[in-house]
């Protein structure tokens, strides 16, 4: 095999593996308790927002935290829980897809936004306000977060649900 044939074979294998990865990801997504939020994927975790320490993404996440906190304030607990989990899932995907694991050995800025929301849910549990079905959903769906590559291989997010 000459160089051109080898290059073509490597490219064909790369395309095959990428297609296989996409199929597996689509199958996994179909079974997910946390459907991807396209708005988060396109507007918050867009590569154009990647900067030093993902500060811009963190700021956008903090804005979304306000929306989630508003839902909690009006007792829309299930909607808030879903948005929180979607935000976390997208952050985890972004961390791996954009290869941030190469650059962070300390706390990753977007994790602070997730930690803040975990504290909000924990406060509701301590006050006895979070319905049991929402609490159960959070814990069941969090298992999915814990099974993501960002968590298993890189410890992102570092927080567990403390409630």
């Amino acid at each position: 095999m000459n160089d051109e044939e080898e290059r073509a074979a490597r490219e064909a294998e790369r395309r095959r593996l990428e297609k296989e990865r996409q199929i597996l990801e689509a199958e996994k997504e179909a079974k997910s308790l946390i459907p991807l939020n396209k708005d988060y994927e396109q507007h918050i975790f867009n590569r154009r927002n990647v900067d030093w320490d993902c500060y811009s993404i963190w700021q956008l996440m903090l804005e979304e935290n306000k929306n989630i906190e508003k839902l909690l304030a009006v007792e829309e607990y299930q909607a808030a829980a879903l948005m929180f989990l979607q935000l976390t899932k997208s952050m985890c995907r972004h961390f791996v897809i954009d290869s941030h694991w190469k650059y962070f050995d300390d706390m990753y800025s977007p994790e602070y936004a997730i930690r803040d929301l975990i504290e909000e849910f924990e406060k509701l549990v301590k006050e006895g306000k979070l319905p049991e079905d929402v609490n159960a959903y959070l814990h069941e769906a969090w298992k999915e977060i814990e099974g993501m590559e960002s968590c298993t291989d890189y410890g992102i997010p570092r927080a567990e649900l403390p409630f």
Side-chain angles (χ1 to χ4, degrees):
M1 222 189 302
N2 64 35
D3 287 346
E4 188 63 32
E5 289 171 330
E6 285 182 35
R7 216 173 292 125
R10 280 194 307 271
E11 180 60 24
E13 179 66 7
R14 186 196 63 74
R15 282 193 307 270
R16 185 189 68 76
L17 290 173
E18 177 60 21
K19 187 173 185 173
E20 186 177 293
R21 184 194 65 75
Q22 289 174 347
I23 290 169
L24 289 173
E25 188 171 308
E27 289 172 356
K28 190 174 182 180
E29 188 61 27
K31 299 174 188 174
S32 177
L33 292 173
I34 313 166
L36 281 176
N37 183 315
K38 299 289 186 209
D39 189 53
Y40 292 170
E41 294 286 314
Q42 293 171 359
H43 299 293
I44 296 176
F45 298 99
N46 188 305
R47 286 190 176 171
R48 74 175 181 268
N49 295 329
V50 174
D51 56 12
W52 178 251
D53 202 28
C54 283
Y55 182 82
S56 295
I57 287 174
W58 174 48
Q59 292 300 307
L60 292 166
M61 289 175 71
L62 291 177
E63 288 301 312
E64 191 58 24
N65 279 16
K66 292 176 188 175
N67 294 330
I68 295 168
E69 290 167 0
K70 287 176 187 174
L71 288 172
L72 292 173
V74 296
E75 300 179 359
E76 292 288 336
Y77 301 120
Q78 185 62 41
L82 175 61
M83 290 170 66
F84 157 65
L85 290 163
Q86 289 174 319
L87 193 64
T88 304
K89 181 177 180 177
S90 288
M91 180 199 69
C92 291
R93 286 172 39 87
H94 158 74
F95 185 83
V96 172
I97 290 168
D98 290 329
S99 301
H100 290 306
W101 46 270
K102 292 179 182 178
Y103 307 106
F104 292 94
D105 60 357
D106 199 6
M107 190 77 161
Y108 169 58
S109 289
E111 283 185 276
Y112 289 104
I114 299 305
R115 188 187 65 195
D116 292 348
L117 288 172
I118 289 172
E119 290 173 1
E120 288 297 315
F121 281 98
E122 181 180 24
K123 184 173 81 173
L124 290 170
V125 168
K126 287 180 179 177
E127 294 170 355
K129 293 181 179 177
L130 190 68
E132 186 53 42
D133 62 327
V134 175
N135 194 350
Y137 168 67
L138 283 166
H139 283 274
E140 189 61 31
W142 195 258
K143 291 176 189 173
E144 189 175 319
I145 299 293
E146 292 174 330
M148 293 181 73
E149 182 179 355
S150 66
C151 194
T152 60
D153 293 1
Y154 308 108
I156 304 295
R158 296 171 209 269
E160 295 179 0
L161 297 182
F163 49 90

